[in-house]
Amino acid sequence: MRSIICLVLLVSSTALADSGSAAGSGSAPAGSSAGSGVPSAGAGSGSAPAAGADTPSAPIPIPGPPPPVEPNPAARKACVEAMNGDPAFADRIVKTAEVQLHDKLMAVQVTKDVCTLRDHGDSQADVAKNKKHVLMAYIAMWLVAAGFVMFLWRKQQALKVEIANLRRDLDAATKDPK
Amino acid sequence: MSTLQHAARIAWKDLRIELRSKEIIFTMMFFGGLLAVIYSYVFPTNLDMIKLAVPGMLWVTIAFAGTIGLSRAFDRERENDTMRALLLAPIPRISVFLGKAVAIAVLVLLVALVIVPMLVLLLDVPLFDNPGPLLISLLLGAIGFAVIGSVFSAALIKVRSRDVLLPVIIYPLLVPLFMAGTSITAGLLAGDSEKVGFWMGFLGLYDAAFLVVSLWIFESMVIE
Amino acid sequence: MSRYAAPLFALLGAIGFAVTIWMIFTDTPLQFSWQPNERHVVLATGSGSLFFNQKIFFWHVPHAIMLFLAVGVAGVSSIGFLTKRNPKWDDVALASVEVAVAFGAVTLLTGMIWAKAAWGHWWIWEKRLTMSLLLWMTLVGYTIVRRFAGASGERIAAAMAVFAMIGVPFIYTMVGAGDNHPQAGSEGNVATLNADMRPAFWSSMVTFLCWFLALVITRVQSARMQREVRELREKGLDAGVLE
């Protein structure tokens, strides 16, 4: 169960990681022109969480939903011009974008690591606390032992009865003629 | 005459009877051929697979055909109660045992020598690449089979359900032998000389141990 | 062999069992690494460690050793029977073979469960397993012969027991040839067992030795009773009581 949740988490977080390009171009009907633009530019431009249709329903503990890409040719053009005009502004924009991208990638990595660790822990606990087979072995041993003892006991009882009967018959037979 | 000469004489007697009637040899060989046909149907017959299956086929055929020969060889002694005559003869009991064992070993070896070419022909496996080691392993296998088989067949001669009991008794004791033989044949086919050497030694030791014990035990097995 | 011997050994076995179970589940370390060497890891889950499943070891191995001991006792007493012709030897042989069948069943069953836990399969056709199964089948064959072979069954069965005893060393020879059976150490002896596990192991050995002796003694007693029944029958036939 837990591994399934992990899997969902992992899938969703990786989907989020490249939603800048893939999800944006696929689902957003508004801007059909520059879906293939640099994702950092899109990420830097806005942070309004417009309900992305591509995120699965599972609860996501990783920081923040991704800013949806809303390519606006005019704004984009203005931004590019501003960046070209002022290198300091361009620097700031790129830095912000890098920090955001880094945070996002880190979130994915942490999710992966957590899942791996949980899987390891799960299987270790499974093996360490696996009482099923030990119990089975002990039960098997007891069943065989009990079966053998029963076999011995019944055999001895039957033999005792038979010996007693034979003795009695023999005694009776040897006494009669006298 | 020495013990061995007596044994040789008894073995020759058995083989001469067989040469006259050819009953055991023919039935064993026919049975072996039949098994080869069955195998070709049971196992996948492409060359790679068959190479893995052939060692087992060879030794299982020897085991089954050998059992037929074994029970027939001792049935002959039972029919006219000639086993009693043999045991009453003024020769060591060991000679009787050795003679019977040698005769059976020869029969089993003959059958094996017919089965090997048959498998080579029908299934196209290169068994003839190492004829020497193969022959030695077949010889050792036949000896082991004959030794263990003779002890118990002789003891079972008076038992009514002997045909059922013989496989029950001898197969568990013979399986290590056949496992060794199969491993040798497989090693020969794969060109694994280390494996062949180990199992050849195993086979030899197994034969030697069981031969020594059989020589001692036979006498107490046939006391009437 | 007094009549108190079997109950005494059974009592010792019961006490030993309690002590052993306490030791197994409290005093031995949980994780027992079979030294993840190349031989074991091939078939194991990959870790080379058995964790809790290793507790099966304390039952499995003593039972296997008792199986071999029983086969040895049966073989030696069969030799005694074949040379001395004294039925007392035959009683001991029959008793120890039947007990060996029981101990062998436990060995095989616990081994199978262990194999399921460690290797993921109930059975693997590996040499030692196959040979142990064969040894067990030989012993079952012994009981079949005793039952169905009539008067000469005793001798034939005795020869089987002797051959089975001769076969045991070969089981160990086969272990050398590319075997995957877990060994307690590189030489497969107890000396290389984890030091913390040795007390529990030896306690288990003593327990099952007592249990083995109790069973064999009881079985010998009933074999004697069987013999007595047979003699009484003959007497009865002579006296004309039975027909």
Side-chain angles (χ1 to χ4, degrees):
Chain A
M1 188 57 212
R2 197 187 285 174
S3 61
I4 295 172
I5 295 176
C6 270
L7 200 67
V8 170
L9 277 180
L10 198 60
V11 169
S12 55
S13 54
T14 38
L16 295 178
D18 46 33
S19 65
S21 59
S25 68
S27 66
S32 54
S33 60
S36 62
V38 195
S40 59
S45 66
S47 63
D54 55 320
T55 50
S57 57
I60 303 157
I62 60 162
V69 186
E70 286 175 359
N72 184 339
R76 187 183 187 80
K77 201 172 174 211
C79 185
V80 169
E81 273 166 9
M83 279 171 79
N84 282 339
D86 184 359
F89 175 65
D91 252 15
R92 234 167 38 237
I93 291 282
V94 167
K95 260 196 189 120
T96 313
E98 272 179 354
V99 165
Q100 284 189 359
L101 181 68
H102 178 257
D103 285 354
K104 206 150 57 169
L105 289 179
M106 276 307 287
V108 171
Q109 190 54 47
V110 165
T111 319
K112 273 187 190 165
D113 286 352
V114 166
C115 286
T116 314
L117 281 175
R118 270 185 197 164
D119 279 350
H120 275 288
D122 277 2
S123 36
Q124 192 170 359
D126 271 358
V127 181
K129 290 187 208 150
N130 179 12
K131 300 190 174 65
K132 193 178 77 183
H133 288 101
V134 178
L135 208 64
M136 273 163 72
Y138 282 26
I139 288 171
M141 193 201 80
W142 273 105
L143 282 182
V144 171
F148 192 72
V149 169
M150 269 304 280
F151 160 75
L152 276 182
W153 191 73
R154 289 187 56 173
K155 187 171 212 158
Q156 273 204 338
Q157 293 307 311
L159 283 169
K160 264 181 195 159
V161 171
E162 198 167 356
I163 287 177
N165 284 342
L166 283 167
R167 280 246 163 83
R168 204 190 51 223
D169 290 357
L170 266 177
D171 285 350
T174 43
K175 262 175 205 163
D176 277 341
K178 279 176 190 172
Chain B
M1 286 217 298
S2 73
T3 309
L4 286 180
Q5 276 172 311
H6 288 302
R9 185 150 294 184
I10 289 175
W12 181 238
K13 163 203 83 98
D14 268 18
L15 290 174
R16 219 163 45 191
I17 296 174
E18 182 50 42
L19 282 177
R20 273 193 215 124
S21 69
K22 303 190 181 61
E23 179 197 8
I24 296 177
I25 280 288
F26 277 152
T27 45
M28 277 167 96
M29 282 176 184
F30 177 74
F31 187 62
L34 206 60
L35 281 178
V37 175
I38 294 172
Y39 295 146
S40 71
Y41 183 73
V42 169
F43 295 105
T45 43
N46 63 324
L47 194 59
D48 291 340
M49 295 282 210
I50 209 77
K51 258 192 185 175
L52 300 175
V54 156
M57 293 179 187
L58 174 62
W59 288 89
V60 168
T61 313
I62 292 173
F64 287 175
T67 313
I68 289 183
L70 191 63
S71 34
R72 187 68 199 111
F74 277 87
D75 265 3
R76 271 189 193 145
E77 299 289 2
R78 194 180 55 87
E79 270 160 11
N80 295 315
D81 213 1
T82 43
M83 194 70 191
R84 187 190 297 264
L86 275 182
L87 293 175
L88 285 174
I91 52 172
R93 290 262 162 91
I94 289 175
S95 314
V96 179
F97 166 70
L98 279 177
K100 295 301 284 185
V102 166
I104 286 164
V106 169
L107 288 180
V108 171
L109 195 61
L110 273 179
V111 171
L113 291 182
V114 174
I115 290 167
V116 170
M118 200 147 50
L119 289 176
V120 171
L121 257 177
L122 293 176
L123 301 169
D124 196 24
V125 277
L127 276 174
F128 283 146
D129 287 1
N130 292 298
L134 184 68
L135 190 67
I136 295 173
S137 71
L138 288 174
L139 183 68
L140 287 173
I143 291 172
F145 181 89
V147 164
I148 296 173
S150 302
V151 170
F152 287 104
S153 292
L156 278 168
I157 235 170
K158 296 267 181 212
V159 179
R160 215 180 320 136
S161 48
R162 63 187 163 280
D163 292 333
V164 188
L165 286 177
L166 184 65
V168 170
I169 296 170
I170 63 172
Y171 281 168
L173 299 171
L174 283 174
V175 167
L177 200 89
F178 292 129
M179 276 165 77
T182 310
S183 299
I184 291 173
T185 313
L188 287 176
L189 282 177
D192 186 348
S193 61
E194 196 182 331
K195 189 176 173 184
V196 173
F198 175 85
W199 288 107
M200 204 69 103
F202 181 92
L203 200 54
L205 272 176
Y206 200 81
D207 274 7
F210 276 64
L211 179 64
V212 170
V213 178
S214 300
L215 285 175
W216 170 77
I217 227 169
F218 182 78
E219 192 143 354
S220 46
M221 294 295 287
V222 291
I223 287 174
E224 298 290 320
Chain C
M1 203 189 312
S2 80
R3 52 194 285 235
Y4 296 111
L8 180 70
F9 279 123
L11 184 69
L12 282 176
I15 296 170
F17 189 83
V19 173
T20 307
I21 257 209
W22 177 260
M23 288 172 95
I24 289 173
F25 287 101
T26 59
D27 281 359
T28 58
L30 178 62
Q31 180 177 354
F32 182 72
S33 171
W34 287 113
Q35 297 312 319
N37 58 22
E38 60 285 357
R39 287 205 311 183
H40 185 246
V41 165
V42 178
L43 289 175
T45 46
S47 64
S49 301
L50 289 154
F51 299 99
F52 202 76
N53 295 320
Q54 193 266 331
K55 307 281 184 209
I56 300 174
F57 165 92
F58 295 105
W59 272 197
H60 177 72
V61 175
H63 272 92
I65 291 172
M66 290 308 135
L67 165 68
F68 290 136
L69 177 67
V71 172
V73 171
V76 170
S77 42
S78 291
I79 291 177
F81 173 64
L82 287 174
T83 46
K84 295 272 190 312
R85 295 269 146 196
N86 187 340
K88 272 186 184 172
W89 289 106
D90 186 48
D91 292 344
V92 176
L94 176 62
S96 41
V97 168
E98 281 191 1
V99 175
V101 169
F103 275 81
V106 173
T107 309
L108 290 172
L109 282 175
T110 51
M112 281 170 75
I113 293 163
W114 182 333
K116 180 67 183 168
W119 301 335
H121 301 280
W122 289 107
W123 188 266
I124 285 174
W125 288 106
E126 162 253 27
K127 292 278 178 337
R128 170 102 74 107
L129 268 69
T130 313
M131 297 305 289
S132 306
L133 182 63
L134 265 178
L135 179 64
W136 189 71
M137 282 179 162
T138 315
L139 299 174
V140 174
Y142 178 103
T143 58
I144 292 176
V145 168
R146 287 303 291 244
R147 212 180 152 135
F148 298 112
S152 45
E154 287 178 7
R155 276 176 289 134
I156 298 168
M160 282 183 83
V162 175
F163 281 126
M165 182 178 70
I166 305 291
V168 167
F170 286 95
I171 293 179
Y172 277 99
T173 319
M174 284 200 162
V175 174
D179 197 343
N180 294 302
H181 200 86
Q183 306 289 307
S186 53
E187 283 84 39
N189 55 25
V190 184
T192 46
L193 191 66
N194 186 334
D196 292 340
M197 296 186 168
R198 272 180 229 170
F201 176 75
W202 285 115
S203 155
S204 184
M205 284 289 287
V206 172
T207 299
F208 287 111
L209 184 64
C210 290
W211 180 225
F212 168 79
L213 287 172
L215 286 178
V216 168
I217 292 168
T218 317
R219 186 64 188 87
V220 167
Q221 281 165 354
S222 52
R224 294 213 174 130
M225 284 162 78
Q226 272 173 305
R227 208 169 281 288
E228 199 182 339
V229 165
R230 229 172 296 150
E231 281 162 10
L232 284 173
R233 277 234 178 89
E234 276 165 24
K235 263 191 204 164
L237 285 173
D238 290 345
V241 187
L242 306 164
E243 62 271 345

